[in-house]
Amino acid sequence: MEGPTEISSSKMFGGYNKRYRHFSATLGCSMTFYIYFPPASATQKVPVLYWLSGLTCSDENFIMKSGAQRALSNEGVALVAPDTSPRGLNIEGESESWDFGVGAGFYLNATQEKWKNWRMYDYIVDELPKVLSANFQQLDTSCASIFGHSMGGHGALTIYLKNPQRYKSVSAFAPIANPVNCAWGQKAFSNYLGSDKGHWEEYDATCLIKKCSGISTPILIDQGDEDKFLNDQLLPHKFEEACKSVNTKIVLRMQPGYDHSYFFISTFIDDHIKFHAGFLFK
């Protein structure tokens, strides 16, 4: 299989934002992803922090808007930002709504035939790390953490809870924390996964945490209290309650006055990178 092709490169805080394209056998289409290589990667292997973006986003939003590169450079951590769904497959209805289809892969493996290429879970957990390991010797893919925003926060939490041995830590900004009980999740899950709500729970952090044992690393979540999606779509307190019921440590920081935007993310991004660096270098 051909390796990734570099399509752009920009220097920032002594490191480089580099964008790549490759063909994904898992998704059946070409995919793009960004890597921020910190200065330390020029002379040694560095750990990897995966960022999963939210609804309507691509691999570009976080790299351009978050301002994360300064802290990544200081901590010596590489960041990998993949896209949020397959693109270019031209499935009927894939672009009819902003909260489903293109840009809304929900980091799951679809079971319905029409959406069989929507296998973002396998792409993030299995294929992408193999691509990185085979092509970027400066990345230590065996030492990785994961975080994300909104739909990507949902993805980060569920992927971590299903694979705690693969990641040193997890955090999220305004995650969709209980998707089986919100409109975004119900729309996505019913179309991608069918009518079996038991299957839906396999991609719901609030349901998954109740089945987990041995999660010793605290989970960090930042949530703006002026986020218009807080009470009907995100439901972080449901996840907090579930964590406490199984004695899993959660730090849910309600941030006064903040909304759902990248203004919110960029305000607290350094905290999250330092949080993950503490476990990646432990």
Side-chain angles (χ1 to χ4, degrees):
M1 183 68 68
E2 247 182 64
T5 301
E6 183 179 314
I7 52 180
S8 69
S9 177
S10 300
K11 191 170 185 178
M12 191 174 185
F13 297 115
Y16 287 88
N17 299 307
K18 291 182 178 283
R19 195 183 193 202
Y20 297 91
R21 178 179 289 111
H22 77 116
F23 180 80
S24 167
T26 299
L27 305 176
C29 63
S30 290
M31 293 291 286
T32 53
F33 60 87
Y34 259 102
I35 304 176
Y36 177 73
F37 294 97
S41 66
T43 57
Q44 64 190 59
K45 278 183 173 285
V46 294
V48 175
L49 180 55
Y50 292 94
W51 169 266
L52 305 184
S53 288
L55 288 165
T56 75
C57 291
S58 70
D59 56 310
E60 295 186 281
N61 300 73
F62 182 82
I63 292 294
M64 294 182 175
K65 295 180 178 181
S66 70
Q69 292 89 338
R70 187 193 300 272
L72 293 164
S73 175
N74 290 339
E75 299 292 342
V77 174
L79 182 129
V80 175
D83 205 345
T84 52
S85 71
R87 296 181 193 265
L89 293 170
N90 298 318
I91 307 299
E92 182 185 1
E94 68 176 16
S95 299
E96 285 183 0
S97 56
W98 65 272
D99 56 353
F100 180 77
V102 172
F106 271 84
Y107 305 102
L108 50 72
N109 288 337
T111 59
Q112 301 306 290
E113 180 65 21
K114 180 177 180 178
W115 303 103
K116 63 183 179 182
N117 292 85
W118 263 247
R119 300 185 64 83
M120 289 300 295
Y121 176 89
D122 280 353
Y123 178 71
I124 299 298
V125 174
D126 294 321
E127 184 177 18
L128 185 56
K130 290 176 182 175
V131 169
L132 298 174
S133 180
N135 294 281
F136 303 101
Q137 301 310 308
Q138 62 271 60
L139 302 182
D140 182 2
T141 55
S142 68
C143 185
S145 291
I146 191 166
F147 68 152
H149 171 232
S150 195
M151 178 185 72
H154 141 78
L157 291 172
T158 55
I159 285 171
Y160 175 81
L161 293 175
K162 290 161 82 75
N163 304 275
Q165 74 286 355
R166 287 179 179 251
Y167 306 96
K168 303 294 185 184
S169 52
V170 65
S171 72
F173 291 86
I176 304 173
N178 189 200
V180 301
N181 286 317
C182 78
W184 285 342
Q186 290 163 358
K187 179 177 181 177
F189 289 1
S190 61
N191 281 281
Y192 290 139
L193 302 174
S195 59
D196 182 358
K197 293 188 178 180
H199 196 186
W200 295 11
E201 293 181 358
E202 292 303 309
Y203 296 102
D204 184 303
T206 298
C207 299
L208 285 171
I209 193 67
K210 297 174 185 176
K211 303 175 184 178
C212 290
S213 60
I215 302 290
S216 57
T217 304
I219 297 171
L220 172 63
I221 294 177
D222 272 311
Q223 173 65 61
D225 71 359
E226 291 295 323
D227 188 326
K228 65 181 180 180
F229 304 118
L230 172 59
N231 295 317
D232 58 349
Q233 301 284 12
L234 305 177
L235 310 177
H237 291 102
K238 294 288 188 184
F239 182 64
E240 182 183 37
E241 290 168 10
C243 285
K244 290 179 177 178
S245 74
V246 292
N247 297 314
T248 295
K249 186 175 181 181
I250 179 172
V251 180
L252 173 58
R253 308 194 306 187
M254 298 300 298
Q255 303 292 1
Y258 286 91
D259 58 15
H260 199 69
S261 72
Y262 266 88
F263 299 117
F264 159 60
I265 294 170
S266 63
T267 302
F268 301 103
I269 192 64
D270 287 12
D271 289 354
H272 284 246
I273 291 167
K274 290 173 184 175
F275 168 81
H276 290 295
F279 294 100
L280 290 167
F281 290 106
K282 192 170 184 178

